[in-house]
Amino acid sequence: MDRMDIRKWLKKPETTTPSAASPPPGSSSSRSTGEDEEHLPREEPRVQPRSEESEPGSLGPESPPSHSQHGLPEDLGVDKPAQVHLRQFPKKQQHNNDCKRSFSANWYNKRDWLEYSQLEDAAFCFPCRKFGGSDSVFTRTGYTNWKHANDKAKGFSRHSNSKEHQACNVSWKEKEMRCNTGSDISTMINSHQLVRNRLYVSAIVDIIEFLVSNELPLRGEVDSVNSRDELGSGLFLSLFDYTLRQNQELAKAFSTIPKNATYTSHDIQNHIIELMSTIVTEQIVKDVGESWFKLKVDGTKDPTGSENVSIVVRYMDKDYKMQERLLSMQTTDKCDAQSLTNVVLDELSNAGLDANKILSQCYDGASVMSGREGGMQKLIQNKLNREVPYIHCFNHQLHLVIVHAISSESAVGDFFEVCNSLYKFRKKPTVAAQYKGEKLKRLLEQRWTGHLDTVSVVLKSHTALVDFLKEIGTMGASADVKIESVGLHKAITERSLTFLTGVMHKVLGLMDPANRMLQAEETDLITAVRLIQSASSCIEDLRSDAEFQKLWPDSGDAGEGTGAPAPPKRQRQATRTLQDYVVSESLGQREVDIQQECKRLFFGIIDSILSEMAARFSERNGKYMSALDALDPASVIFLEAEKVKPLLDLTNTDMVEAQFTVAREFLKSRCTGQGVERVTLSHLVAKESRVLSAMPAVMTAFKHALTFGASTATCENSFSTLKNVFSEHRGSMLHRRKAHLIQLAFENDLSRKFKDEWKEMLLRRFHSSGKRRLQLY
C-alpha cells in the first residue's frame, strides 16, 4: 500500500468554510509578530476532529506526535472545541470494585465549551485553555473522572460555575463575535499597538500593587490625569507621572493612548483592586484545597461605628507548612451571634470553601462568640450538625490572667495607676520638652504587653525619673505641673512601689515568651499548652522566701538612691493608766511592718496568677487534649491509637491501629533517641512526609493536630492593617473597597505576585470584564 502524504493528511477538509475574517494562507496577518508571541504562544497544526465512522484509537496510517510543544494533545481544537462523536468511547475502570466507564457525547449538550481528546481519552475546556484559565485539570492534564462528571458539586458543573471559567468564556464569545462580524482584532489594530497597550496597563497595575501592598492611599483631591502635576493629585497620579518620566518606552506608549482611555480614574482603580482581591481569595481557596481548616474570627469597630469582622483560616498547605490567611474583612451593623454566624458562613460559601471542612474554631471569650447555648461557636456546631471544638484564644486568656491579678490586689492596681499617671505627665508639652530620658509606654487595656513595656522603663530609668520629677518641681513651671510632679515624686520613691516594680517586671517577663510565641502562625495547640505549662512552672518557682529576699534589697537600693528624706515619725508614749502594769501584748492599730506587707503582697500576686492560670488553661476538652498529647513526639504516650482516636472521629477518619504501631516504632528513635535532638511535630511532619504518606491515618492525625491553632493573633494583626488603611483622611471609603485594600495589604506576599506571576491572569480578566477601549489581546 502506498504511503500516505502527511501533508495531505493534515490538510483541512475542503468542505470546511473559512471564517470571513480569516486572512488568506501565507499572508502576513495570518500569524502573530515576534512581540505578540511573548504573550500568545504560536499554535501548532492540530489533528482535526474525527467523524462518526472513525474507529476508536485509529489515527490513520501514520500517527503524528501525540503532544505539541506545549504539552497538550494534538487533536484538540484550534479555532473551536473539538467535540468528537464516536460510536463507542474507550472504557476503563477508574476505581476498585467499580464498573468501567467512558466519556459520553451527550455531555456536549449545553456545554459548547467542552472538548474531547482521543489521544488522552480526556475532556478539556476550550475557552479556559485559550484564554488563560488556571485550572490545570481542564487546561493541561485533562478531566477523566467520568463517575463524577455530572455531579452538581463536582466535575463539569463545578468548573463551569467558577468565576475564572466564566471570565474565559466571555472572552471566547467576544472573540467569536468579532470574527463573525469581520471586526477581528487583527484587522483593527496592529500587534505593536497591542504590546504598547499591555505595557501601559501593566504599569498601572504595578503602581496599584505597590500602593496597596504598602498600605498607602491612592487618590487625592484631583482625579484627572491632566492634573497629575498639581498639588493634591494623590500618590497614584504622582507615581504615574514619575514612572512616565523614568520609562521612555512607557511614555511613548502613553502618547498613543486615547485621552478617553487613560485608565487612571477611581472607577478603574476600584475595578483592578477588586480583581486583585478576587484572585488572592481564589488562590487562598485553591491552596486550602480539600484540607480541613480552623476558623478564626474576631471583630472590632472602625471610626464609622461599623463592626469589622476578620475571618481567618488556618490550614496545612501542599508543602506541609501551616498557613494562616485573611480570607475576608466583612462589615456588619448587627453584632448578635446569629448575624455574625450568617456573615461568616456566607463568606466561606462565597469564597468557595466548604463549611463542612471546619475542623475547629477559635474566638475570644465574649459571650456572643463563646456562649455554650447561643454563642457563635454553638450555632456553627448546630448548623453543621456535628461537634466542632472551640478554643478560647490563649492570648486573650493570658491577658485576663493579668487583669485578675491587678483586680485581686488593690496595691497592684494603684501601682499601674501611678505608671499611667507618669505616662500622661510626660506627654504634657512643657514636660516633654525637658524630659530627655527613655520614653514611657502607654498602658493598653486590651493588651498586657503594654504593662510590661511600662514596667521595664520605670525599672530601668527609675533614678532618672526621680531626679527629673524633683528638678521640675523646683523650676518655674506652672502650679498644676509642680503639684503633680511633687505627688508623683513621692509615689515612686516609696519602697512598696519600687518593690512592686521589680515583682511585676519579673512575673510579666516570665509570661512574655509564651505570649510572643502564641502570636506566631506556626504555633500549634500542643506547643501552646507546653508554653503555658512552662510559664506557670517558672512563676511557681518564684513562690519562695529565697526569691523574695532577692527582690527586697533591690527595692531598698532604688528608694534610698533617690536621696528622698524619710517621713518624720511621731514619738510614741505609753499610756499613763498602764504605767504601773507590765504590758505583754497590745490590741488595736499598730504600725505596719513594710517588709511583712510587701512579702504578703508578693505571695498574694503569685498565688492569684497561678490559680487563675490553672482555672483558665485546665483541660476543658479532655479527650482532645489527651489526643494532642499523644501526638507530641516528647510524650510518653506518643502515637497510642486509642488516645488519638477522638481526633480522627472529628472527621470520620478510620482508625488503622497497624499504621500507628509501625509509625511509633519508626519515629520513636528519630524523635527521642539518644544523641538525637528532639523535634517538634511540625518539623517531624515536614521531614518524614514521604514515609508518613504510606500511613494515611497517622498523617491525617498529625495534620489535624497542627491545624488546631491556639490564638486569634492573626485576626488582631489584621486590625492593625485596618487602622493604617482606614485612616482619618479616608473616612469616606466604601466598605467594599476597604475590605479589598485590607486583604491585599495584609496578604502582601500574595499581592506582590501581581508584579510577575499573576499579572497575565489579571490583565486577561481586566480585558474581558467589560467593554474596553484599549484592546490588550
Side-chain angles (χ1 to χ4, degrees):
M1 184 176 67
D2 294 333
R3 185 176 297 276
M4 180 179 179
D5 189 350
I6 188 65
R7 292 174 295 179
K8 294 181 180 180
W9 185 78
L10 286 173
K11 185 178 180 181
K12 293 185 178 181
E14 294 181 357
T15 57
T16 303
T17 303
S19 173
S22 301
S27 65
S28 58
S29 61
S30 63
R31 63 175 62 187
S32 303
T33 62
E35 292 87 343
D36 201 29
E37 288 177 353
E38 296 179 3
H39 302 275
L40 296 177
R42 182 185 303 172
E43 297 287 351
E44 294 294 322
R46 309 218 180 221
V47 179
Q48 294 300 309
R50 302 187 63 82
S51 63
E52 264 190 303
E53 290 72 28
S54 301
E55 291 295 327
S58 177
L59 297 177
E62 285 190 4
S63 299
S66 61
H67 291 81
S68 70
Q69 62 177 348
H70 306 297
L72 292 171
E74 290 283 352
D75 58 343
L76 291 177
V78 178
D79 299 320
K80 61 181 181 179
Q83 295 193 341
V84 182
H85 290 76
L86 302 178
R87 292 178 180 175
Q88 183 177 0
F89 287 89
K91 291 186 176 182
K92 61 182 178 182
Q93 190 171 7
Q94 297 181 315
H95 305 284
N96 294 334
N97 302 324
D98 190 13
C99 60
K100 292 184 177 181
R101 301 176 186 273
S102 66
F103 182 85
S104 173
N106 293 330
W107 292 343
Y108 295 138
N109 296 335
K110 297 183 180 180
R111 298 189 183 96
D112 57 348
W113 53 268
L114 186 64
E115 58 181 348
Y116 175 78
S117 168
Q118 290 181 252
L119 294 175
E120 292 291 333
D121 185 25
F124 291 82
C125 175
F126 178 80
C128 288
R129 186 169 58 82
K130 287 290 187 178
F131 293 90
S134 62
D135 189 346
S136 60
V137 174
F138 282 89
T139 59
R140 303 294 297 178
T141 59
Y143 182 84
T144 58
N145 191 356
W146 310 134
K147 181 177 181 180
H148 300 293
N150 277 331
D151 287 359
K152 292 183 178 180
K154 300 179 181 179
F156 300 147
S157 297
R158 180 176 182 179
H159 176 74
S160 62
N161 291 330
S162 67
K163 294 180 181 179
E164 188 171 280
H165 167 81
Q166 293 172 4
C168 294
N169 198 51
V170 169
S171 300
W172 174 42
K173 294 301 181 182
E174 286 183 352
K175 183 176 180 180
E176 275 192 332
M177 180 184 67
R178 290 195 298 268
C179 291
N180 293 335
T181 58
S183 58
D184 191 13
I185 189 64
S186 60
T187 66
M188 296 188 299
I189 192 169
N190 60 63
S191 59
H192 294 285
Q193 186 61 46
L194 285 177
V195 173
R196 285 195 290 267
N197 291 348
R198 285 196 291 269
L199 175 65
Y200 176 73
V201 178
S202 177
I204 292 177
V205 170
D206 288 342
I207 294 172
I208 293 177
E209 179 275 322
F210 173 80
L211 293 174
V212 300
S213 298
N214 291 279
E215 304 176 355
L216 297 173
L218 279 75
R219 301 201 300 267
E221 297 178 359
V222 181
D223 197 25
S224 172
V225 68
N226 297 325
S227 305
R228 61 183 184 273
D229 294 330
E230 298 179 4
L231 295 177
S233 60
L235 290 179
F236 174 78
L237 290 179
S238 298
L239 277 178
F240 180 78
D241 183 64
Y242 175 79
T243 307
L244 289 179
R245 287 187 275 111
Q246 296 297 317
N247 191 329
Q248 296 299 321
E249 186 177 357
L250 180 63
K252 184 177 180 180
F254 176 66
S255 64
T256 65
I257 299 298
K259 297 305 179 183
N260 61 350
T262 56
Y263 289 174
T264 57
S265 69
H266 63 276
D267 290 330
I268 294 294
Q269 294 173 23
N270 288 343
H271 185 59
I272 293 177
I273 290 171
E274 183 174 0
L275 288 176
M276 293 170 69
S277 179
T278 301
I279 292 174
V280 167
T281 301
E282 290 175 358
Q283 294 301 318
I284 292 174
V285 173
K286 183 179 179 180
D287 200 23
V288 175
E290 298 299 322
S291 300
W292 291 82
F293 60 90
K294 186 183 188 76
L295 177 65
K296 298 185 176 187
V297 180
D298 203 356
T300 188
K301 289 189 179 297
D302 60 26
T304 65
S306 299
E307 183 74 11
N308 293 267
V309 183
S310 175
I311 305 173
V312 171
V313 291
R314 175 185 174 91
Y315 60 94
M316 179 176 284
D317 63 13
K318 60 182 179 181
D319 297 323
Y320 303 101
K321 294 181 180 179
M322 295 311 304
Q323 300 285 353
E324 290 190 6
R325 295 291 187 183
L326 177 63
L327 187 69
S328 178
M329 178 75 76
Q330 289 299 306
T331 305
T332 179
D333 294 327
K334 298 180 180 180
C335 298
D336 59 284
Q338 188 62 58
S339 298
L340 291 175
T341 302
N342 293 337
V343 166
V344 171
L345 293 181
D346 288 346
E347 186 58 29
L348 290 177
S349 177
N350 294 337
L353 285 176
D354 185 2
N356 291 308
K357 285 289 187 177
I358 300 176
L359 179 66
S360 61
Q361 39 189 340
C362 184
Y363 318 125
D364 60 22
S367 58
V368 72
M369 307 295 287
S370 63
R372 295 184 178 181
E373 298 299 330
M376 180 176 165
Q377 61 95 8
K378 182 62 176 177
L379 295 179
I380 285 183
Q381 295 186 66
N382 294 340
K383 187 76 172 180
L384 300 181
N385 197 26
R386 64 179 177 86
E387 184 177 6
V388 183
Y390 158 68
I391 306 297
H392 186 179
C393 171
F394 275 33
N395 285 106
H396 281 87
Q397 294 192 76
L398 275 178
H399 172 73
L400 294 175
V401 168
I402 303 303
V403 171
H404 176 77
I406 294 175
S407 61
S408 63
E409 293 287 350
S410 59
V412 180
D414 294 341
F415 164 72
F416 283 113
E417 283 294 332
V418 172
C419 293
N420 197 34
S421 297
L422 279 171
Y423 169 78
K424 293 179 179 179
F425 181 74
R426 183 244 171 269
K427 291 290 289 183
K428 290 186 176 183
T430 56
V431 177
Q434 301 178 49
Y435 180 68
K436 305 302 181 184
E438 188 172 351
K439 294 182 180 180
L440 293 164
K441 306 295 183 180
R442 181 168 63 96
L443 294 181
L444 302 174
E445 295 182 0
Q446 297 82 8
R447 290 179 178 269
W448 61 267
T449 49
H451 294 69
L452 176 60
D453 294 337
T454 298
V455 170
S456 299
V457 174
V458 173
L459 183 65
K460 181 180 179 181
S461 306
H462 185 270
T463 302
L465 284 170
V466 170
D467 293 341
F468 173 73
L469 290 173
K470 184 178 180 181
E471 180 182 356
I472 200 172
T474 60
M475 294 175 60
S478 60
D480 58 336
V481 171
K482 287 184 178 181
I483 293 172
E484 192 171 357
S485 66
V486 171
L488 290 173
H489 179 273
K490 184 179 184 302
I492 68 172
T493 53
E494 291 182 357
R495 189 165 189 181
S496 60
L497 186 137
T498 55
F499 174 75
L500 276 177
T501 304
V503 172
M504 296 310 299
H505 184 265
K506 189 81 171 179
V507 172
L508 296 179
L510 291 174
M511 299 175 68
D512 187 55
N515 178 69
R516 293 183 182 275
M517 281 298 298
L518 287 172
Q519 296 184 38
E521 291 184 8
E522 61 271 13
T523 303
D524 54 86
L525 191 57
I526 298 175
T527 306
V529 172
R530 296 286 184 263
L531 286 169
I532 296 299
Q533 292 174 348
S534 300
S536 182
S537 298
C538 292
I539 294 174
E540 189 173 4
D541 291 341
L542 282 179
R543 198 186 187 284
S544 66
D545 290 333
E547 290 295 332
F548 172 77
Q549 292 301 329
K550 290 180 181 178
L551 292 171
W552 180 249
D554 295 337
S555 65
D557 293 342
E560 295 165 5
T562 63
K569 295 184 179 180
R570 181 173 60 87
Q571 293 293 328
R572 298 276 182 154
Q573 294 182 355
T575 307
R576 292 182 179 181
T577 57
L578 299 177
Q579 57 185 340
D580 295 333
Y581 298 87
V582 176
V583 180
S584 61
E585 184 178 359
S586 62
L587 299 175
Q589 186 175 4
R590 291 180 294 176
E591 186 176 352
V592 177
D593 187 339
I594 186 64
Q595 182 174 357
Q596 286 300 114
E597 178 62 20
C598 288
K599 189 173 185 178
R600 184 203 65 77
L601 194 60
F602 173 73
F603 285 107
I605 293 172
I606 293 177
D607 289 342
S608 176
I609 290 177
L610 290 176
S611 63
E612 189 69 10
M613 291 184 72
R616 290 192 171 277
F617 296 103
S618 59
E619 298 180 356
R620 302 180 197 174
N621 299 320
K623 58 181 180 179
Y624 298 122
M625 288 298 182
S626 179
L628 293 174
D629 185 42
L631 294 171
D632 185 1
S635 175
V636 294
I637 59 172
F638 182 52
L639 287 181
E640 288 190 9
E642 286 302 318
K643 298 288 186 181
V644 180
K645 189 175 185 302
L647 196 61
L648 294 178
D649 289 342
L650 281 175
T651 57
N652 295 323
T653 303
D654 294 333
M655 165 61 70
V656 184
E657 294 190 17
Q659 295 181 12
F660 281 84
T661 303
V662 174
R664 182 170 61 251
E665 293 302 317
F666 174 76
L667 298 174
K668 201 169 182 180
S669 60
R670 294 174 176 261
C671 300
T672 59
Q674 187 176 5
V676 178
E677 183 181 357
R678 291 182 182 271
V679 296
T680 63
L681 180 57
S682 58
H683 293 156
L684 181 65
V685 171
K687 184 178 180 181
E688 305 294 344
S689 58
R690 188 171 182 180
V691 176
L692 292 173
S693 61
M695 310 173 213
V698 178
M699 177 60 96
T700 300
F702 283 160
K703 287 182 176 180
H704 287 359
L706 292 173
T707 305
F708 266 78
S711 75
T712 58
T714 304
C715 296
E716 294 186 6
N717 292 339
S718 68
F719 297 148
S720 298
T721 305
L722 165 65
K723 182 179 179 181
N724 295 335
V725 170
F726 200 59
S727 61
E728 58 181 352
H729 299 295
R730 306 172 80 180
S732 61
M733 185 191 307
L734 296 178
H735 291 305
R736 184 180 183 87
R737 175 184 169 93
K738 176 184 68 176
H740 295 153
L741 290 175
I742 292 171
Q743 184 190 42
L744 294 173
F746 189 77
E747 300 295 347
N748 53 21
D749 61 322
L750 298 179
S751 300
R752 292 192 176 99
K753 292 187 177 181
F754 289 109
K755 291 188 295 187
D756 39 47
E757 185 177 345
W758 294 350
K759 179 173 288 185
E760 181 70 13
M761 185 195 316
L762 177 62
L763 292 178
R764 286 190 176 275
R765 289 201 186 185
F766 176 75
H767 176 68
S768 61
S769 58
K771 295 181 179 179
R772 301 298 177 197
R773 290 188 174 92
L774 293 184
Q775 296 293 336
L776 303 180
Y777 297 95

